[in-house]
Amino acid sequence: MLDAIVTATAPFPQAADDAALARAAAGGDRHAYERIYRRHAPRLYALLWRLCGGNAARADDALQETFIQAWRTLPQFRFESALGTWLHRMAVNTALMELRASAAFEALDIGEEGMDLLARMPASSRCQATGLDLERALETLPPRARAVLVLHDIEGWKHHEIAEELQMAVGSSKAQLHRARGLLRARLGETQ
């Protein structure tokens, strides 16, 4: 018979580590907060970059604001969700508030007729889209359509969550998603 020592490991070691880091940071440990930042900032930045239409300066500002807000509210974090989930939601809220406040958000939203016009524009002659092409195509979408597409197709949000966050009807969220996908297909040169 083999003598073995089995050590129990947490099923989600990063989540457990996040909780310990969050508790330490809430108590004022700046090194713990720096570890939280280094662990979560890259993924949050990618999300914010997409929501901000590829505008790096706006994404940087939104990331900074997210982590400033997180530092202030971390003592109230109730550990009802994973720290990463909490930060993710905070980042989305920060980006959407910035987009709502931006005059460009409403001014650049070309509406349903404008989206139909964009969809009828000739597609590029590329045969296959690349990841870079997709990112560029995302940048060309109207801000609301881009926000719906990113939140639904990339982040996995449900239409009722998007509608609540963007203050629109669920049907409008679905329509924006449908048109955004059509615009992306047209931009990437794909046929229906």
Side-chain angles (χ1 to χ4, degrees):
M1 179 172 191
L2 292 173
D3 289 327
I5 298 174
V6 178
T7 57
T9 59
F12 304 103
Q14 181 175 338
D17 190 35
D18 273 353
L21 289 171
R23 284 185 178 87
D29 183 342
R30 292 178 189 255
H31 294 292
Y33 194 70
E34 181 180 346
R35 287 185 57 201
I36 291 170
Y37 176 86
R38 290 185 188 282
R39 177 176 290 169
H40 294 280
R43 181 172 184 269
L44 294 177
Y45 181 80
L47 165 69
L48 292 167
W49 186 81
R50 285 184 181 98
L51 286 173
C52 292
N55 185 318
R58 288 174 66 191
D60 286 336
D61 289 346
L63 183 67
Q64 181 178 2
E65 182 59 35
T66 297
F67 277 98
I68 289 170
Q69 184 180 0
W71 177 254
R72 290 180 185 147
T73 58
L74 195 55
Q76 289 83 38
F77 180 55
R78 297 184 305 236
F79 299 93
E80 293 173 356
S81 64
L83 179 65
T85 303
W86 182 72
L87 289 169
H88 182 272
R89 185 64 182 213
M90 192 176 293
V92 168
N93 289 341
T94 300
L96 294 179
M97 284 191 317
E98 193 273 329
L99 287 173
R100 268 190 232 115
S102 167
F105 184 66
E106 294 302 325
L108 292 176
D109 192 353
I110 59 175
E112 309 237 346
E113 293 165 3
M115 290 178 79
D116 289 337
L117 177 66
L118 284 172
R120 290 191 300 269
M121 292 175 73
S124 71
S125 60
R126 288 186 296 269
C127 295
Q128 293 292 327
T130 65
L132 186 56
D133 292 335
L134 178 60
E135 292 295 346
R136 286 184 184 144
L138 274 172
E139 292 171 19
T140 69
L141 293 176
R144 290 177 72 88
R146 181 179 58 245
V148 171
L149 183 108
V150 168
L151 292 175
H152 187 274
D153 286 358
I154 297 173
E155 297 301 318
W157 287 33
K158 305 291 184 211
H159 282 291
H160 70 275
E161 296 169 320
I162 296 168
E164 182 181 318
E165 193 64 42
L166 295 179
Q167 300 173 352
M168 65 171 55
V170 171
S172 295
S173 174
K174 291 177 180 180
Q176 290 278 357
L177 178 63
H178 176 73
R179 287 200 165 82
R181 287 175 176 167
L183 288 170
L184 278 179
R185 280 192 296 274
R187 295 283 183 271
L188 296 172
E190 296 177 11
T191 58
Q192 309 268 344

